[in-house]
Amino acid sequence: MPRLFPVLYLLCGLAAAALGCTSEKPNDARATPASTSASPQVLIMNGGPHGGTFNAFTDKMAEMITRDAPSLHVQVRRSNGSKDNLLALCANRADMAIVNASDAFLGRTGALLCANKKYADARSMAFLYRAPAQLVVRSDSGFHTVLDLRGKTIAVGNSGSGAALAAERFFRHLKLRGKLTVLHKGYDESFADLASGAVDGVWTLTSAPNTTIMEVARNQPVHLMNLHEAAVVSGFYQLYPFYSRATIPAGTYVGQDDPVQTFQDAALWCARAGLDAQAVYDSLEAVFTQPRLDELRAIHGASRDMGPQTAVNNLPIPLHPGAVRFWAERGVPIPAILMP
C-alpha cells in the first residue's frame, strides 16, 4: 500500500466542509501523572463501538502493555469510532486511540468538520491494518450497483465513526445523499435489522474478514457490493486520494464465490501530542515484538500486515517523538515529513 503524501489532500476540504462544525475545547485538566515504581501511569486508550475491529485491537493491546510494561496500566474506553477518537486525543480526554488515516489527515488540515477548525494535536505511532469499505446486502435483494440503492435504507455505523464518515463522503460524492435513508447504528443492531428486512444494506469500514459479517453470512445468504467501479467512474479517488483500491478475495465469506472490488482506508495507532515519550516507546515495545504480534494474529487476521516493514506506511500525520525513537532504533527509515 502506498504511503500518503499530504500534498495530495488539498482537494479534500471542499467536500468535507459540509459535514458541520464542533465547539469542543481541549481539556488540559486531563494531564497524565508521572509514573512511579509504586503507582503505574494510567493511560486511557479509546476503542470503538461494540462488535467492531477497533475493540478487538485495543482490548488485546491494552492487555499486552499492562502485562509487559510495569510502569503503565492501560484502560480501554469504548467510543463511537475514528472521529470521536481523534477529537478525544486532541482534547486530552484519551491518551491513545485508533484513528483512520482519512480522519487524521482531514482533522489536521481543518477539513474534517469545518474549514477553520483544526484537530492537530494527535500523533501517529504505527500503521495497524487496512480497512476496506464493505457494503453488505441480502443475496435476494436484486441490487447490482450502488445506484440501485436509491430510495433504500442503509445502516452506516455509529455517528462519529470512520465508517459513517466514509459513507457520507462516498454517497454525497455519488449524489445519493438525500436519496437514501441513512441510519446510524452499531454493527450488531444493523445486521440484525438486515436479517429482519428493516434495512436494505449495512455499510462497514473494517478489516476483512470481519467476524460479524462472517457470522451473518453463515446464517443468511449475503452479497458484498462492488464499490470500486463507482469510485473510479465518479472521480472519488481524485477527490479523496487517501482511499485506495482494495480487493476482498473470493471465499472471504460464506457464499462469496468471486473477488469483490472496493476502496480502503488505513487504521492507525495514535497518541495525544503531549503524552510522555517514554510511555509511547514502552507501549510500542510491548506490542511490536514477534511473540506479541503472533498473539494479535491469533485473535484477528487484520494484524497480519503489522510490523516494522509497514510501521510508517500510510501515515498522514507526524509521528510521536516516542515512536520516532522506537522505530529509528529498529532501523525503520522515517521520512522527514513524518518527523514531529
Side-chain angles (χ1 to χ4, degrees):
M1 223 178 157
R3 295 178 179 171
L4 301 178
F5 295 94
V7 70
L8 296 175
Y9 303 127
L10 297 179
L11 294 174
C12 298
L14 182 61
L19 297 181
C21 302
T22 180
S23 59
E24 182 174 4
K25 303 292 185 182
N27 177 13
D28 293 330
R30 192 188 140 38
T32 303
S35 63
T36 68
S37 57
S39 178
Q41 182 177 356
V42 177
L43 303 181
I44 301 300
M45 181 186 288
N46 270 24
H50 182 69
T53 306
F54 279 20
N55 286 340
F57 273 75
T58 53
D59 287 353
K60 189 61 178 178
M61 292 193 301
E63 173 194 317
M64 292 173 174
I65 297 165
T66 300
R67 180 179 60 198
D68 294 348
S71 63
L72 301 176
H73 179 83
V74 180
Q75 297 177 352
V76 175
R77 184 171 58 198
R78 302 298 182 229
S79 79
N80 282 334
S82 176
K83 185 195 77 175
D84 279 4
N85 289 351
L86 176 66
L87 270 58
L89 291 175
C90 292
N92 293 336
R93 291 185 289 102
D95 299 299
M96 298 184 292
I98 299 179
V99 179
N100 288 334
S102 56
D103 301 324
F105 179 82
L106 291 176
R108 185 172 181 81
T109 57
L112 179 62
L113 298 177
C114 60
N116 297 316
K117 178 67 176 179
K118 294 184 179 181
Y119 297 90
D121 293 326
R123 298 291 182 268
S124 56
M125 294 173 61
F127 163 83
L128 294 179
Y129 61 88
R130 299 178 178 89
Q134 300 171 71
L135 181 52
V136 185
V137 299
R138 294 184 298 276
S139 291
D140 61 0
S141 67
F143 303 145
H144 300 291
T145 72
V146 177
L147 297 182
D148 293 335
L149 298 175
R150 288 190 182 95
K152 306 302 179 182
T153 300
I154 308 296
V156 300
N158 290 313
S159 179
S161 68
L165 289 175
E168 166 71 21
R169 293 167 196 144
F170 188 65
F171 290 138
R172 183 181 295 277
H173 184 71
L174 295 183
K175 296 181 171 55
L176 287 174
R177 192 73 171 90
K179 299 178 182 178
L180 302 170
T181 298
V182 172
L183 301 180
H184 292 97
K185 296 182 174 185
Y187 289 160
D188 291 349
E189 185 180 0
S190 296
F191 280 110
D193 286 348
L194 181 69
S196 69
V199 302
D200 298 295
V202 177
W203 172 284
T204 71
L205 189 76
T206 186
S207 60
N210 172 264
T211 54
T212 306
I213 299 176
M214 290 175 67
E215 183 178 347
V216 171
R218 281 194 293 265
N219 295 296
Q220 175 179 339
V222 296
H223 170 67
L224 267 67
M225 302 199 70
N226 182 316
L227 304 179
H228 171 69
E229 183 177 346
V232 170
V233 171
S234 67
F236 183 71
Y237 294 125
Q238 283 70 41
L239 189 60
Y240 299 110
F242 38 70
Y243 294 130
S244 62
R245 179 178 183 171
T247 300
I248 300 175
T252 298
Y253 302 109
V254 173
Q256 183 205 337
D257 298 327
D258 299 309
V260 175
Q261 304 302 318
T262 183
F263 66 88
Q264 65 187 356
D265 206 333
L268 313 178
W269 187 7
C270 296
R272 60 182 179 88
L275 182 60
D276 177 62
Q278 189 64 46
V280 170
Y281 183 98
D282 291 345
S283 296
L284 286 165
E285 189 172 44
V287 172
F288 280 89
T289 64
Q290 196 56 54
R292 298 299 174 247
L293 289 174
D294 290 342
E295 284 186 42
L296 264 174
R297 288 164 188 157
I299 67 163
H300 210 296
S303 58
R304 59 186 172 272
D305 294 325
M306 284 176 62
Q309 68 279 5
T310 61
V312 301
N313 288 2
N314 311 293
L315 303 183
I317 61 174
L319 283 161
H320 192 283
V324 171
R325 177 188 157 208
F326 180 82
W327 293 118
E329 287 181 2
R330 283 148 184 82
V332 176
I334 300 176
I337 200 169
L338 294 182
M339 296 300 290

